[in-house]
């Protein structure tokens, strides 16, 4: 129903029941918000969005208050501005004064608020909460002192990821965000997907950085070969960190920049994705033939793997044994470099650039090391790569694109597809089809697996197999279909799970963004790459084929199972 | 303790009463009723008030003493418990009724006094020094020269509409409640009225919520009744988390059946089949008695399925809080019942549309509900004539603090505070001067002596920046420091803030700190620290306004009330603290100056040894001195001097 | 704390409803004096709630504690009336004398302190309770005496 309201003395038509904030936005009036998360019920916690409504005793929060006929609203009266300003001052009075040392310096919502509201003097001061920095987890750092208790991480953790690790603890000004029994993140149910980092307005949650180690190694190489490799999603997101259009593909610039930084070799990690696809297709075929342990659960997402280990240990036999693409690349590099340049594995320093803090966690798992030497030494997120590039004073705009080092310089677009949700399923399907029927698909695009739906399903005939491929993202959706999976007569054959909504392009280590369009652009970019690619199938990647014949033998054969596969076990964790 | 006896004849009598077929009753039945009612007793009846206040004062010991007194002397007498009359300062109270004689109440009956009093009474003599008064009953022969209880100044100006049963009947006995007219309103409602009509009655009575906002109860009920729903719920808010209030606890301990009946009527009116009573788990006695009352009512078919063949079903469940003041706020209360953190959420949507489990829910204060049976019984017109135009009915207060008689009082709306404090409460003890009163607990405000003629109703109090709030009236005398008291409230609110919204979470803490800074000596005096402190003082009022303007729920919105109202009322005292660094009431110890009375000092050196800063100088056996520059005002010397030689100013 | 004792308590709540969470925690605390990780886990399994939620609810309400109570549990009223009559000093005194603050237990496990709101007997304030025995009109000296009595009774 259309109604008329008055905003700052202007008559405006709006829809009844719409929140005041939505109406203001439509009319180009900007109101600061902090606790608001798009598509979530407003909690009304931060009070920054207050406006003055005639006839009301108090200011009202525009994010939750519905519009009513004839309302007279003032959005920037003296009273309102003073109130907003005071609220931010109150936050600052309990905030560590170390902006200059903060991860989010220059990219912090609290800083922006303070600047926008023109806070130039400390009027309110007092005791600040002291809290321990939680460094226990290899992927995520939690610094409660910087927390403004907006609760966004909690809601993401519960409503999107559904791990529900984070919750408020205590009350009043002793409230903090904490895990159950206030354990360190590493000892909690946290799967380190990093979605909480993406929504945190301040530096209270951020990825753990290993810059020191990188700098030290790069600066003091003596005899060590330094290798960098990047996941396929990084290629389409890094651009945003340098003011370029979301979705712009800058693989060549990344290669160049990494070399400038000092890496001896730079590899395209999609190579690992191709191998992942080869292995998983073979594994799936094997299980289909034997009719056991179906559906096959994808294993590319380390957050999902940890969730299976802790929450659904009964599903472990269903989990694919293939390592994640990054870990495959890592394992292969160390192996390859050793055999060609005759170096011991120790002498290789391998850095993976990924979209994801969980990959940091994965890289230090004991399953991902051989004889105590990890396959990947350091994992960086996309955001960290951007920082590294800046640290080494590289102007990315002035670089000339370069290509990656041989042999891992070529990949199929199937490997790239894995960056977005549904892509793994598509890629595996393509190779499986070839394996079963001996021919390549003519039109290898599956719209049913693409898109933003949380659960997607595709049924089709591949040779003599009637296949049901599914794709699930975000992680919370798994809970809904769990009964189906456990059911004896489960008719799914393959389940692709991505913890982050939208897949790796929206990973917890990707650049911060505010508009949902950004995410769409990233996904589109991935699909475009596939569209235009000359090599659309993992098994047609010549480098991969050569590699198999030279080193690994058959996919899912003896040697590859030794190097590329692993077993996971149950974890005992307070859930 | 006398319990419901459950023998069949008694059972049938009560049933007959409830059915309303009194004409069928035989003489034996009428006799039994008289006995239960206490009109005609055949043996001496001793009733001891048994409630939290009297237990704290020693009622358990008194009870034992009475029992062994009776046992030792083999006296055939009934020993009963009753609720509280409300006069807390005189607890434990003991009533004695000899057959044919009027009932007499004694005050401050500690165990050692029991035999004195009973010896005398059983010899037909009333020991004047212990007696409070006798109760009027035309069937009883009065005692000579003993005044009546309701003529006592404490009771004279009260109008007891909802406290009527308190301290008169046994809270553990449904029968006593029924013979005194109980549950008749409920049965009348379900027999004679539709839910809509009950809502109408309440709306016409002008009853407004006693929980703080003063929202018209009838309107609230109608909103809920008309909201489309699968289920509806009623929640009785007996949280009473205000640290100066005890009325609700007393009522629940003294007259639990009234509450059960009120809830039953309200549930019927809004179409709820399940009702909750929310109360603090600390209220153990109240919980026990309420649960007992609910069970007894169910035993008579007054709760449960198809109540008295009306087709109406109702279950009442107790929900014990786990310690959170903010759970008094209705949306937080709902969250707490749902098993969540008791954090308020923004309104709208209001609970009357989306409440417990997202269903329409009425949250009513307990006192609000207690008015309902009275309105149904005596009609809205009768009810409306009590109190003032806009605020009808009575209001129950707990008065405490520096006052002669503290306790539970019920007065018509519109009574002046002066009457409450002086006439009922008896003024300030020890001839001290009244400085002001705090009305409505931490959410309320401070009123000065000049404001005493304020009439108690929603509008007048709101004008003064107070709310009726919890109904706690705390009296301050000249030895109470207003800043100290406000600081205490601030501290409480700081601890009780749920922490959800920024202005309340951080604001209460900062306001508390600023007050702390005003009332203590700084730990260090360096430039920037002093500047910060000063800025805080300057911004206190501004901060308070923002906290009031922007907080999510009533806790934060009203948190500024004590500060803003006390700044208005006691500005001078603030200024004295800030500019002269003096506390006129002598409460803020760190602002006091200490010096040693040379004449009294014996030179024992104790103070010099204990002083943490070595500010006391002097040699043994000679008078000592305090070097003011070094003194931090901790007061240790004052506490440790055995000769009273340290003087505080 | 034994598992099957918790199970016994859980059996009293045949319906798996979140509404039962607070009552269950209250029962467990009533039985054991405090809550533990074990309890959080069991209750979580039973009510199908994540442990973080249970912990979060338990830490919100001031009555729940994860630290055992002392042998002697001191409840001190700091209602408005008692405050005006000097209860704040008593709290400080307890701290000075026993070294414990609200919600804490002394190192030897003997005493614990809980500050409560009005105990309903303001006329006789300040009021305190020690293991369910009430004391009225407390002064600092009287407090010390009472505590000493309990201490001695232990020796
Ligand atoms: C912080 C806070 C505490 C409250 N505490 C109580 C309380 O203890 N008892 C109560 O009846 N209402 C309390 N209220 C008011 C309730 O939110 C609600 O308005 C009331 O129960 C409605 O009942 P009424 O309409 O009968 O007044 C409180 C409100 C706030 C904001
Ligand atoms: S950690 Fe960040 S997202 Fe979470 S509540 Fe704190 S400020 Fe908000
Ligand atoms: S005003 Fe205080 S108590 Fe109310 S929601 Fe905000 S923080 Fe919580
Ligand atoms: S954005 Fe509206 S209250 Fe936080
Ligand atoms: S304030 Fe302490 S008993 Fe009421």
């Amino acid at each position: 129903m259309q109604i008329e309201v008055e905003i700052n003395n202007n008559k405006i038509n709006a829809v009844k029941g719409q929140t005041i904030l939505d109406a203001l936005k439509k009319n180009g009036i900007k109101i600061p918000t902090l606790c608001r998360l798009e598509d979530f019920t407003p909690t009304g916690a931060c009070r920054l969005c207050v406006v003055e409504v005639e006839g009301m005793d108090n200011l009202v929060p525009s994010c939750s208050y519905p519009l009513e006929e004839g309302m007279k609203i003032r959005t920037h009266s003296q009273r309102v501005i003073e109130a907003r300003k005071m609220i931010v001052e109150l936050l600052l009075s309990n905030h560590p004064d170390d902006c200059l040392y903060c991860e989010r310096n220059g990219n912090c919502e609290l800083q922006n608020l303070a600047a926008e509201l023109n806070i130039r003097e400390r009027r309110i001061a007092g005791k600040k909460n002291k809290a321990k920095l939680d460094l226990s987890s290899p992927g995520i750092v939690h610094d409660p002192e910087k927390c403004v208790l907006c609760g966004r991480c909690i809601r993401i953790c519960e409503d999107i990821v559904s791990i529900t690790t984070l919750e408020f603890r205590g009350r009043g000004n002793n409230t903090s965000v904490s895990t159950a029994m206030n354990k360190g993140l590493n000892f909690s149910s946290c799967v380190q997907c990093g979605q909480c980092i993406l929504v945190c307005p301040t530096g209270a949650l951020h990825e753990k950085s290993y810059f020191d180690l990188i700098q030290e190694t790069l600066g003091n190489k003596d005899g060590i070969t330094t290798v960098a490799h990047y996941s396929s999603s990084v290629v389409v997101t890094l651009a945003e960190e340098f003011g370029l259009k979301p979705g712009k593909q800058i693989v060549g610039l990344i290669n160049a920049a990494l070399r400038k930084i000092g890496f001896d070799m730079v590899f395209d990690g999609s190579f690992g994705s191709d191998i992942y696809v080869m292995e998983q297709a073979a594994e799936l075929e094997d299980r289909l033939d034997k009719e056991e342990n179906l559906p096959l659960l994808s294993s590319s997402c380390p957050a999902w793997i940890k969730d299976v280990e802790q929450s659904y240990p009964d599903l472990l036999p269903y989990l694919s044994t293939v390592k994640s693409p990054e870990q495959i690349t890592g394992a292969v590099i160390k192996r390859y470099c050793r055999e060609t340049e005759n170096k011991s594995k120790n002498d290789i320093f391998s850095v993976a650039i990924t979209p994801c803090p969980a990959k940091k966690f994965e890289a230090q798992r004991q399953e991902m090391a051989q004889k105590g030497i990890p396959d990947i030494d350091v994992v960086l997120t996309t955001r960290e790569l951007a920082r590294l590039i800046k640290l080494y004073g590289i102007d990315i705009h002035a670089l000339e694109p370069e290509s990656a080092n041989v042999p891992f310089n070529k990949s199929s677009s199937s490997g790239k597809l894995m960056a977005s949700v549904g892509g793994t399923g598509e890629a595996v399907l393509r190779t499986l089809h070839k394996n079963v029927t001996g021919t390549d698909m003519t039109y290898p695009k599956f719209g049913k697996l693409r898109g933003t739906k949380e659960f997607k399903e595709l049924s089709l005939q591949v040779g003599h197999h009637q296949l049901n491929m599914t794709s699930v993202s975000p992680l919370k959706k798994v809970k809904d279909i769990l009964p189906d999976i456990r059911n004896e007569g489960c008719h799914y054959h393959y389940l692709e799970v991505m913890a982050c909504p939208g897949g790796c392009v929206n990973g917890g280590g990707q650049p911060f963004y505010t508009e949902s369009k950004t995410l769409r652009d990233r996904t589109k970019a991935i699909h475009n790459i596939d569209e235009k690619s000359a090599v659309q199938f993992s098994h047609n990647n010549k480098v991969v084929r050569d590699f198999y014949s030279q080193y690994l033998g058959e996919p899912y054969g003896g040697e590859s199972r030794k190097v590329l596969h692993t077993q996971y076990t149950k974890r005992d964790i307070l859930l | 303790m006398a319990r419901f006896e459950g023998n069949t004849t008694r059972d049938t009598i009560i049933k007959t009463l409830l059915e309303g077929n009194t004409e069928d009753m035989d003489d034996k039945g009428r006799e039994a009723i008289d006995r239960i009612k206490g009109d005609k007793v055949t043996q001496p009846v001793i009733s001891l008030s048994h409630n939290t206040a009297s237990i704290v004062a020693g009622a358990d010991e008194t009870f034992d003493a009475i029992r062994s007194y009776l046992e030792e002397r083999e006296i055939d007498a009934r020993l009963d418990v009753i609720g509280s009359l409300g006069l807390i300062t005189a607890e434990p109270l003991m009533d004695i009724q000899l057959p044919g004689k009027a009932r007499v109440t004694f005050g401050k009956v500690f165990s050692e006094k029991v035999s004195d009093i009973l010896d005398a009474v059983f010899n037909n003599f009333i020991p004047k020094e212990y007696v409070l008064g006798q109760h009027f009953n035309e069937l009883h022969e009065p005692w000579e020269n003993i005044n009546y209880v309701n003529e006592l100044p404490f009771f004279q100006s009260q109008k007891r509409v909802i406290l009527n049963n308190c301290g008169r009947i046994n809270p553990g006995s449904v029968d006593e409640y029924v013979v005194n007219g109980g549950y008749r309103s409920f049965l009348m409602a379900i027999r004679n009225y539709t839910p809509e009509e009950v809502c109408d009655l309440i709306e016409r009575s002008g009853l407004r919520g006693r929980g703080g906002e003063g929202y018209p109860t009838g309107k609230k009920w109608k909103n809920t009744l008309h909201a489309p729903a699968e289920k509806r719920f009623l929640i009785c808010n007996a949280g009473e988390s205000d640290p100066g209030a005890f009325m609700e606890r007393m009522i629940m301990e003294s007259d639990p059946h009234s509450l059960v009946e009120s809830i039953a009527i309200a549930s019927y009116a809004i179409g709820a089949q399940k009702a909750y009573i929310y109360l603090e788990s600390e209220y153990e006695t109240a919980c026990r008695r309420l649960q007992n009352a609910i069970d007894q009512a169910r035993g008579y078919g007054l709760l449960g399925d198809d109540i008295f063949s009306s087709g109406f079903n109702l279950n009442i469940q107790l929900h014990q809080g786990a310690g959170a003041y903010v759970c008094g706020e209705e949306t937080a209360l709902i969250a707490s019942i749902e098993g969540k953190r008791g954090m308020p959420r923004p309104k709208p949507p209001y609970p009357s549309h989306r409440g417990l489990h997202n269903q329409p829910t009425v949250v009513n204060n307990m006192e609000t509900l207690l008015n309902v049976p009275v309105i149904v019984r005596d009609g809205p017109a009768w009810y409306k004539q009590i109190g003032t135009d806009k605020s009808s009915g009575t209001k129950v207060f707990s008065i405490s603090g520096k006052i002669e008689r503290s306790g539970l009082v019920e007065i018509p709306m519109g009574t002046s505070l002066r009457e409450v404090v002086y006439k009922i409460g008896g003024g300030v003890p020890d001839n001290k001067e009244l400085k002001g009163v705090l009305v409505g607990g931490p959410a309320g405000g401070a009123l000065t002596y000049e404001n005493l003629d304020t009439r108690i109703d929603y509008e007048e109090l709101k004008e003064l920046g107070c709310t009726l709030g919890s109904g706690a009236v705390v009296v301050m005398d000249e030895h109470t420091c207003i800043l100290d008291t406000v600081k205490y409230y601030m501290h409480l609110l700081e601890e009780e803030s749920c922490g959800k919204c920024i202005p309340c979470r951080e604001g209460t803490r900062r306001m508390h700190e600023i007050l702390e800074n005003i009332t203590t000596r700084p730990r260090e005096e360096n430039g920037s620290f002093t500047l910060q402190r000063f800025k805080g003082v300057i911004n206190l009022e501004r901060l308070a306004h923002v906290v009031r303007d922007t907080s999510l729920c009533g806790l934060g919105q009203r948190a500024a009330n004590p500060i803003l109202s006390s700044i208005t009322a006691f500005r001078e005292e603030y200024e004295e603290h800030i500019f002269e660094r003096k506390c006129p009431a002598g409460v803020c110890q760190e602002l006091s100056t200490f010096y040693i009375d040379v004449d009294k000092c014996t030179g024992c050196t104790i103070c010099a040894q204990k002083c943490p800063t070595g500010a006391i100088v002097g040699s043994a056996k000679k008078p000592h001195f305090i070097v003011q520059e070094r003194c931090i005002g901790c007061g240790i010397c004052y506490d440790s001097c055995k000769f009273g030689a340290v003087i505080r100013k | 704390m034994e598992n099957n004792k918790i199970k016994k308590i859980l059996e009293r709540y045949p319906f798996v409803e979140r509404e039962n969470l607070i009552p269950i925690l209250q029962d467990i605390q009533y039985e054991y004096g405090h809550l533990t990780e074990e309890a959080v886990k069991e209750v979580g399994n039973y009510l199908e709630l994540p442990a973080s939620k249970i912990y979060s609810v338990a830490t919100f309400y001031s009555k729940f504690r994860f630290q055992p109570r002392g042998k002697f549990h001191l409840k001190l009223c700091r209602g408005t009336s008692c405050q005006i009559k000097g209860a704040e000093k008593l709290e400080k005194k307890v701290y000075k004398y026993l070294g414990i603050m609200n919600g804490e237990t002394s190192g030897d496990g003997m005493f614990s302190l809980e500050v409560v709101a009005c105990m309903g007997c303001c006329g006789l304030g300040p009021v305190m309770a020690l293991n369910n025995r009430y004391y009225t009109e407390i002064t600092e000296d009287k407090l010390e005496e009472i505590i000493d009595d309990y201490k001695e009774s232990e020796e």
Side-chain angles (χ1 to χ4, degrees), chain B residues 52-57 61 88-89 91 241-246 249-250 274 276 278 280-284 317 319-324 326-327 332 335-343 356-357 399-402 406 438 441-442 474-476 480 484-485 487-489 491-492 495-496 498 589 639 648, chain C residues 13 17-23 25-27 29-30 47 49 52-64 69 75 77-89 91-93 96 102 114-129 132-137 140-141:
Chain B
T52 309
S54 73
I55 294 169
V56 173
E61 288 79 24
I88 306 258
T89 17
E91 295 285 7
S241 20
D242 175 354
F246 47 80
R249 173 199 306 230
M250 280 305 181
K274 181 147 190 192
Y276 293 82
Y278 172 83
E280 266 312 315
S281 58
E282 249 164 50
Y283 288 16
E284 286 162 30
Q317 185 178 327
H319 181 89
Q320 299 187 21
V326 68
C327 284
S336 158
I337 291 182
E338 287 172 347
K340 302 184 180 148
R341 289 165 65 88
M343 299 204 285
L356 190 62
H357 302 308
I399 47 177
S400 60
K402 304 283 183 71
S406 73
L438 298 163
V474 181
V475 179
M476 301 180 288
T480 319
D484 187 65
T485 314
K487 188 173 79 178
Y488 154 77
Y489 277 156
H491 177 63
L492 184 117
E495 289 201 330
E496 293 297 341
C498 81
Q589 197 177 43
D639 291 340
R648 194 169 95 185
Chain C
Y13 299 88
E17 284 171 357
R18 182 152 186 185
E19 236 183 60
N20 291 331
L21 174 57
I22 294 174
L25 292 179
Q26 280 168 333
D27 283 3
Q29 173 146 314
Y30 184 79
L47 293 181
L49 286 172
S52 59
K53 293 250 151 197
I54 314 250
Y55 183 66
S56 172
V57 168
T59 52
F60 181 85
Y61 297 98
S62 57
K63 287 282 144 51
F64 292 122
R69 274 190 182 187
K75 278 190 197 169
C77 176
R78 269 200 72 187
T80 316
S81 184
C82 289
Q83 158 74 12
I84 285 186
K85 293 177 180 171
E88 187 182 356
K89 274 196 189 149
E91 198 183 335
K92 286 191 179 141
K93 177 83 192 176
K96 254 193 253 165
N102 185 15
E114 181 183 351
V115 174
V116 298
C118 182
M119 305 234 252
C121 191
C122 306
L124 302 172
V127 182
M128 75 169 212
N132 291 329
R133 236 200 105 180
Y134 292 95
Y135 298 87
T136 53
E137 299 183 339
E140 281 178 77
D141 290 340

Side-chain angles (χ1 to χ4, degrees), chain C:
Chain C
M1 201 188 292
E2 283 169 47
N3 251 340
N4 46 8
K5 279 199 190 160
I6 301 179
K7 293 238 159 71
K8 277 238 167 64
I9 292 175
L10 294 175
E11 274 164 24
R12 288 185 223 154
Y13 299 88
F15 299 107
V16 175
E17 284 171 357
R18 182 152 186 185
E19 236 183 60
N20 291 331
L21 174 57
I22 294 174
I24 289 176
L25 292 179
Q26 280 168 333
D27 283 3
I28 293 177
Q29 173 146 314
Y30 184 79
E31 200 99 335
Y32 301 103
H34 66 287
L35 300 175
T36 57
E37 180 170 337
E38 191 66 30
V40 167
K41 192 170 168 182
E42 289 298 321
V43 175
N45 286 342
Y46 185 69
L47 293 181
E48 293 163 16
L49 286 172
S52 59
K53 293 250 151 197
I54 314 250
Y55 183 66
S56 172
V57 168
T59 52
F60 181 85
Y61 297 98
S62 57
K63 287 282 144 51
F64 292 122
R65 48 195 296 146
F66 284 87
Q67 234 190 1
R69 274 190 182 187
K71 185 158 183 213
F72 302 112
H73 188 62
L74 205 78
K75 278 190 197 169
L76 197 63
C77 176
R78 269 200 72 187
T80 316
S81 184
C82 289
Q83 158 74 12
I84 285 186
K85 293 177 180 171
E88 187 182 356
K89 274 196 189 149
L90 296 178
E91 198 183 335
K92 286 191 179 141
K93 177 83 192 176
V94 173
Y95 180 69
K96 254 193 253 165
Y97 205 59
L98 293 173
I100 50 174
M101 294 207 274
N102 185 15
E104 291 181 351
T105 307
S106 61
D108 57 2
M110 289 302 272
F111 289 92
S112 50
L113 175 68
E114 181 183 351
V115 174
V116 298
C118 182
M119 305 234 252
C121 191
C122 306
L124 302 172
V127 182
M128 75 169 212
L130 223 156
N131 282 4
N132 291 329
R133 236 200 105 180
Y134 292 95
Y135 298 87
T136 53
E137 299 183 339
I138 307 289
T139 58
E140 281 178 77
D141 290 340
K142 214 165 147 187
L143 181 82
E144 199 171 318
E145 249 169 59
I146 297 168
I147 291 176
D148 284 344
D149 278 354
Y150 277 87
K151 270 190 180 160
E152 265 161 40
S153 73
E154 260 317 284
E155 272 156 17

Side-chain angles (χ1 to χ4, degrees), chain B residues 564-582:
Chain B
L564 292 172
S565 71
S566 67
I567 291 184
T568 320
F570 299 98
R571 184 150 206 122
E572 275 165 33
E573 199 168 332
Y574 271 84
E575 283 170 359
E576 242 169 297
H577 276 82
I578 296 169
F579 300 124
E580 282 157 49
R581 309 294 288 146
K582 276 217 165 76

Side-chain angles (χ1 to χ4, degrees), chain B residues 414-644:
Chain B
T415 311
S416 74
L417 265 174
R418 183 179 305 279
E419 195 162 342
V420 174
V421 172
Y422 283 101
K423 220 160 151 199
I424 299 176
V428 182
D430 307 329
N431 286 324
K432 298 240 175 67
E433 216 169 289
L434 180 129
K435 173 170 179 174
V437 285
L438 298 163
V439 183
L447 298 177
T448 57
Y449 186 83
E450 286 73 37
N451 298 133
L452 273 193
D453 290 313
T454 310
R455 299 191 318 155
I456 294 172
D457 71 7
Y458 296 100
E459 274 71 28
E460 284 212 19
L461 283 179
K462 194 171 174 193
E463 235 162 71
L464 290 167
C466 295
T467 51
L468 268 178
S470 56
V473 172
V474 181
V475 179
M476 301 180 288
D477 69 6
E478 53 195 283
H479 288 290
T480 319
C481 167
I482 184 75
L483 272 95
D484 187 65
T485 314
V486 173
K487 188 173 79 178
Y488 154 77
Y489 277 156
M490 247 27 253
H491 177 63
L492 184 117
L493 292 166
E494 180 192 346
E495 289 201 330
E496 293 297 341
S497 158
C498 81
K500 182 172 182 178
C501 71
I502 302 166
C504 170
R505 176 179 79 228
E506 303 296 343
T508 49
R509 152 156 64 175
R510 297 301 169 226
M511 292 193 287
H512 177 231
E513 279 174 353
I514 292 170
L515 289 171
E516 189 74 39
N517 281 340
I518 298 179
T519 54
T520 54
R521 286 191 198 201
R523 293 283 153 264
E524 51 184 320
E525 272 299 4
N526 67 50
S528 72
F529 186 78
T530 314
L531 181 69
Q532 265 333 317
R533 232 160 37 105
F534 208 67
K535 278 191 186 167
V537 174
I538 294 172
N539 287 309
L540 178 60
E541 262 186 283
R542 195 175 293 154
L543 175 59
H545 275 119
V546 170
V547 172
R548 180 165 75 186
D549 251 10
T550 58
S551 287
L552 195 167
C553 83
L555 191 145
Q557 287 161 12
R558 299 191 217 141
N561 277 1
I563 289 195
L564 292 172
S565 71
S566 67
I567 291 184
T568 320
F570 299 98
R571 184 150 206 122
E572 275 165 33
E573 199 168 332
Y574 271 84
E575 283 170 359
E576 242 169 297
H577 276 82
I578 296 169
F579 300 124
E580 282 157 49
R581 309 294 288 146
K582 276 217 165 76
C583 174
V587 174
C588 305
Q589 197 177 43
E590 289 193 19
L591 297 189
S592 320
T593 353
F594 293 87
Y595 64 93
I596 293 174
D597 185 341
V598 191
D599 297 333
K600 285 199 189 147
C601 179
T602 62
C604 73
T605 73
I606 289 275
C607 56
Q609 288 169 32
K610 290 209 168 167
C611 176
T613 57
I616 303 181
V617 292
S619 39
K621 308 229 168 72
K622 300 241 174 65
H624 282 46
F625 297 94
I626 298 178
V627 182
Q628 293 303 341
E629 288 73 37
R630 279 197 224 151
C631 174
I632 54 165
C634 69
I636 289 180
C637 53
Y638 181 80
D639 291 340
S640 59
C641 180
K642 293 196 189 81
F643 309 98

Side-chain angles (χ1 to χ4, degrees), chain A residues 148-200:
Chain A
V148 294
L149 298 173
C150 64
R152 300 193 328 201
C153 52
I154 294 174
R155 281 193 285 163
I156 288 287
C157 191
E158 177 174 1
D159 293 346
I160 300 293
V161 192
S162 198
I163 291 290
T164 324
T165 301
L166 298 177
E167 250 296 357
F168 288 122
R169 160 175 174 263
R171 83 163 177 236
N173 51 39
N174 286 319
T175 313
S176 58
V177 168
S178 110
T179 63
M181 302 307 293
N182 202 16
K183 292 175 191 260
L185 274 176
N186 204 30
F187 310 103
S188 74
S189 56
C190 171
V191 295
Q192 319 208 8
C193 67
Q195 284 299 308
C196 54
I197 300 178
L198 283 186
V199 293
C200 183

Side-chain angles (χ1 to χ4, degrees), chain B residues 22-90:
Chain B
T22 25
E23 312 85 54
D24 307 349
M25 209 175 277
D26 57 6
D27 285 347
K28 238 173 106 192
R30 291 210 183 86
E31 241 170 63
I33 291 176
D34 285 345
R35 209 172 45 240
I36 301 172
K37 220 172 168 177
D39 282 347
K40 276 193 201 133
V41 296
T42 47
Q43 78 209 108
V45 179
I46 303 174
S47 323
L48 185 72
S49 76
H50 198 260
N51 53 60
T52 309
S54 73
I55 294 169
V56 173
D60 279 335
E61 288 79 24
T62 309
F63 190 86
D64 290 342
I66 302 173
R67 192 166 50 198
S68 46
Y69 178 96
L70 296 177
E71 272 166 13
E72 272 163 29
R73 294 169 181 71
E74 294 181 355
I75 296 173
D76 175 28
R78 205 168 93 204
L79 178 53
D80 247 355
V81 298
I82 48 173
S84 166
L85 266 183
L87 184 52
I88 306 258
T89 17

